[in-house]
Structures are given as structure tokens and as C-alpha cells.
Amino acid sequence: MLVRQILKTKSPELISVTPDQTVVEVLRLFRDNNIGFVVVSRSPGECLGTLSERDCCYAVAEYGIEAPTMRVADIMNRSVVTCSTQDLLPFVMSLMTDRRTRHVLVMDGDASVGVVSIGDVVKHRLDELLRTEQALSDYIAGTPYH
């Protein structure tokens, strides 16, 4: 499965924050949108970095009670893991494993166009396994293919 096929099943909106927003503002955004990852940018398609729930937890561990009022620019991840819309799902899975990340930013040229999360990977692999199971069951039962 190609990354672009996964993006078609998701909301087209890529949620981003500015570098000047505070950590607590981002955490509220995470809560309100039921997400755990945002792109940091000043304009659509731009990526200055990313911020995840994990990054926020590390900030609290390092800076304590100052963390919620810190700027996103002070704690964002500048080493962004990316893939292309043309990449295959196993490649994205290997990126997640090798880089120990739960999110991969999807790029179309120089523009960020979406995010593939570990939840997306699990969902699509599970769907694929269920389709395979059904095909094998149909084959064993002698059900004709359509």
C-alpha cells in the first residue's frame, strides 16, 4: 500500500502550530482534536519542525513547572522523519522502527501534506490481514472470485 492511499482515508487537514505558541496551548490542541502530533510552521506546507506528546513529556521532565509556558520553538523536534506520498507502507514502518517515532511527516516535494501515525499503520495492516483471511477462506470454501 502506498502512503498516498493511506492519506486518502484520513482527514485532509494537517494541523500545525506556530513556533511562538506555548506548550500548554499545544497540549490543549492535542486534547481538543484527539491528536498527539503537530507540524510547526509559519505558513501552509512549511515545516520548521514537529511537536509530539512525547516531546512535551520530555520538556516537563527536563524543565519542570516552566515547561507549560515555554515556546514551541524551544522544545520542538527539528530532526523530522519524513516520507513521500509514493513510499510503500513497509518503508514507513521501517522508518518508525529505526527512528523510534510514532509519526512520519508525508511530503510532496517541499510541501508537507499529511502525517502517517503508528495507528494508521496498524489499521491498514489489520485491514490487509482481514482481506487476506477472507480471500483464503473463500478459496478453501470454493467461493468463486468476483
Side-chain angles (χ1 to χ4, degrees):
M1 173 168 280
L2 294 173
V3 170
R4 67 179 157 84
Q5 293 170 295
I6 294 171
L7 290 183
K8 286 181 183 177
T9 66
K10 298 179 65 164
S11 169
E13 181 182 11
L14 183 60
I15 297 176
S16 64
V17 297
T18 65
D20 294 327
Q21 285 183 260
T22 65
V23 171
V24 75
E25 288 174 323
V26 174
L27 290 171
R28 288 182 182 128
L29 184 70
F30 286 168
R31 179 200 60 205
D32 295 345
N33 290 279
N34 196 29
I35 59 172
F37 179 88
V38 290
V39 174
V40 182
S41 68
R42 289 192 180 95
S43 62
E46 176 188 48
C47 178
L48 302 172
T50 62
L51 193 67
S52 69
E53 291 170 318
R54 182 183 286 180
D55 297 323
C56 295
C57 288
Y58 287 170
V60 170
E62 186 169 341
Y63 302 107
I65 61 172
E66 294 176 19
T69 58
M70 293 177 72
R71 293 174 343 114
V72 167
D74 297 329
I75 70 163
M76 71 182 185
N77 180 7
R78 289 175 170 83
S79 177
V80 180
V81 180
T82 64
C83 69
S84 162
T85 57
Q86 299 302 312
D87 286 329
L88 293 170
L89 188 57
F91 173 73
V92 175
M93 293 166 61
S94 70
L95 283 176
M96 288 178 169
T97 301
D98 294 343
R99 298 286 299 274
R100 300 190 50 80
T101 185
R102 297 179 185 119
H103 302 90
V104 176
L105 186 63
V106 182
M107 304 296 288
D108 187 7
D110 290 336
S112 52
V113 294
V115 174
V116 174
S117 72
I118 191 73
D120 299 327
V121 170
V122 170
K123 178 190 180 309
H124 285 87
R125 290 293 291 155
L126 180 59
D127 290 347
E128 184 178 60
L129 290 171
L130 292 172
R131 285 191 304 272
T132 300
E133 180 183 341
Q134 184 61 52
L136 288 171
S137 179
D138 291 348
Y139 176 76
I140 290 168
T143 305
Y145 293 96
H146 299 289

